[in-house]
Amino acid sequence: MIFAVDNVSCGYGSRRVLEDISVTVESGEILCLLGPNGVGKTTLFKTMLGFLPLMDGTITVDGESIAHWSQRRKARVMGYVPQVHTPPFPFSVIDVVIMGRTAHLSMTAAPGKEDTVKAEEALERLGISYLADRIYTEISGGERQMVLIARALAQEPRILIMDEPTANLDFGNQVRVLSQVYRLAEAGMAIIMTSHFPDHAFLCSSKVGLLERDRFTVGPADEVVTEETLRRTYGVDVHIVREEDPRFATLKSCVPVIDR
């Protein structure tokens, strides 16, 4: 499966936020989008998902334009994990996950046994079956994020789009979520995620898309995430530290230079 964004321009009304964006993601790949606030990452996501109309360019799946796909068809191919989600009612976790089955139901049908099984399988796949009967609004932020991933998996998508999946999570939960993202890609899913942490690009991405105010660069993390590009993008000095560990390949992390 190949998801391709080709010379896409997008924005709101007549105001263009991004122009001439091109990138492809294949099954088993993780594309990590980096960039400062307000540069257009969320706008690009909304356009990919069909929430905003294309201004120019094409978005295709295996060469077929999705411009005229129904939202139902898109939902069967693309799953979405938002930054935050607070439902208006205190649903149980299993009910939240079953909501992911909506794309597979007719307009008047209620979820059936098969849909419940799919939701239970999604929870089990992520190792959070113990949350099934808990109230979604009463669990921790990290647990909610895992439930949102489970809801997206219940859709049985081929592409998973994740808007800052580690936002507002503590260090332990960030690692757990990133580990699950990596496993999903290993299982053959194409994943597009945004992050405010350049380290995440080194940890689990296949390629990086760096959105700046006046350019978009795509490539391997080692080539795109450099001290120079981070300084230019975020306006701060950063050292990229490399460490050799016999158990892994070369480890890299971004260390900001703090003025004292």
Side-chain angles (χ1 to χ4, degrees):
M1 189 283 305
I2 301 176
F3 179 77
V5 173
D6 188 22
N7 294 321
V8 160
S9 296
C10 54
Y12 301 87
S14 60
R15 182 173 69 89
R16 293 180 179 237
V17 176
L18 294 171
E19 291 190 283
D20 298 325
I21 300 296
S22 294
V23 65
T24 61
V25 186
E26 299 185 23
S27 298
E29 286 189 333
I30 302 172
L31 169 67
C32 183
L33 288 177
L34 300 175
N37 288 331
V39 78
K41 297 187 297 297
T42 298
T43 302
L44 180 59
F45 269 15
K46 288 180 178 179
T47 304
M48 289 177 177
L49 292 162
F51 301 153
L52 290 174
L54 277 171
M55 290 183 164
D56 284 309
T58 59
I59 298 175
T60 61
V61 173
D62 288 338
E64 181 183 356
S65 172
I66 67 172
H68 301 295
W69 283 15
S70 67
Q71 287 298 333
R72 182 178 295 275
R73 185 179 179 189
K74 288 177 184 175
R76 291 182 176 181
V77 175
M78 295 184 285
Y80 176 53
V81 180
Q83 282 188 46
V84 293
H85 171 253
T86 303
F89 303 105
F91 294 106
S92 68
V93 164
I94 189 65
D95 286 339
V96 171
V97 179
I98 288 174
M99 291 175 189
R101 299 296 300 165
T102 302
H104 299 274
L105 302 174
S106 66
M107 293 295 291
T108 58
K113 182 178 180 180
E114 180 182 355
D115 301 302
T116 300
V117 169
K118 294 290 186 182
E120 291 171 343
E121 288 175 349
L123 289 171
E124 183 176 356
R125 184 174 181 180
L126 297 177
I128 54 173
S129 297
Y130 64 93
L131 293 174
D133 297 323
R134 296 277 302 277
I135 301 301
Y136 177 78
T137 53
E138 296 176 2
I139 60 178
S140 71
E143 290 170 332
R144 286 192 196 185
Q145 199 63 35
M146 296 294 275
V147 171
L148 292 178
I149 296 173
R151 183 182 67 173
L153 292 183
Q155 288 179 229
E156 300 181 292
R158 297 160 64 194
I159 305 160
L160 190 58
I161 297 177
M162 313 176 79
D163 194 357
E164 293 186 44
T166 61
N168 304 313
L169 300 185
D170 62 35
F171 179 72
N173 280 317
Q174 285 188 33
V175 173
R176 292 183 187 97
V177 169
L178 290 175
S179 295
Q180 292 297 342
V181 169
Y182 189 79
R183 292 190 189 104
L184 292 172
E186 282 190 317
M189 192 172 291
I191 296 175
I192 305 171
M193 59 176 276
T194 59
S195 178
H196 280 303
F197 300 99
D199 284 345
H200 293 173
F202 292 127
L203 284 171
C204 66
S205 68
S206 306
K207 62 178 70 170
V208 176
L210 183 62
L211 269 172
E212 302 176 64
R213 299 291 176 184
D214 58 351
R215 72 184 80 185
F216 179 57
T217 308
V218 180
D222 289 343
E223 296 177 10
V224 175
V225 184
T226 67
E227 293 176 357
E228 178 184 350
T229 58
L230 292 177
R231 184 181 304 113
R232 188 176 66 221
T233 302
Y234 296 102
V236 294
D237 288 327
V238 175
H239 288 319
I240 295 179
V241 179
R242 297 166 176 81
E243 181 177 347
E244 300 294 336
D245 189 310
R247 298 169 298 173
F248 308 101
T250 301
L251 301 176
K252 292 187 177 183
S253 60
C254 302
V255 179
V257 178
I258 306 297
D259 293 330
R260 298 183 183 277

